[in-house]
Amino acid sequence: MSTKFDVEAIANAGQHIGRLMDDMSAFEALKQNRPYTGTFKPAAWLEGVVDNRRQAVVGHAEHLKIAFGEMGTKLKDISERFKNTDGQNAEEIKKVIAGIEGAVVQAVDTYDTNTEKPAHGCNGSSNDAVTT
């Protein structure tokens, strides 16, 4: 029994998945717009909450970009290996797929390490000390 596959469809799917998050302009704009609600204590608290959510949305978008990019790369690799293999296809695919989860987790962890900062107005920022 043989398995049928379409090498071009796999490569095409990888290309499309890899480009899903190419336009990050909305998130770049969001990244630059920190809220400012005022100097009284409830406003400073609200500012921290809103800023935390803003940072979370940007972070999730970056995580998706990383994950989709890794998937696109791996699908392209799978299609190339299909072109160049015969009866060993299953083993070739396993080799490619085996590292995708680790690659995504490592890339996301690196992104998080380089970008995680305390939110403005939360836990230790200058707005925490503001009183009414």
Side-chain angles (χ1 to χ4, degrees), residues 51-108:
D51 195 44
N52 180 276
R53 293 298 82 212
R54 178 191 63 82
Q55 287 179 337
V57 168
V58 171
H60 287 307
E62 292 289 347
H63 291 177
L64 284 172
K65 183 175 178 69
I66 290 166
F68 289 151
E70 290 291 333
M71 284 187 256
T73 300
K74 296 298 183 183
L75 284 171
K76 182 179 180 211
D77 194 13
I78 287 170
S79 73
E80 289 299 316
R81 288 181 189 226
F82 265 150
K83 286 180 190 175
N84 301 319
T85 59
D86 49 21
Q88 302 300 319
N89 289 336
E91 289 304 314
E92 290 297 315
I93 292 170
K94 284 180 188 177
K95 288 178 190 175
V96 174
I97 293 174
I100 193 168
E101 183 178 356
V104 169
V105 168
Q106 182 179 8
V108 165

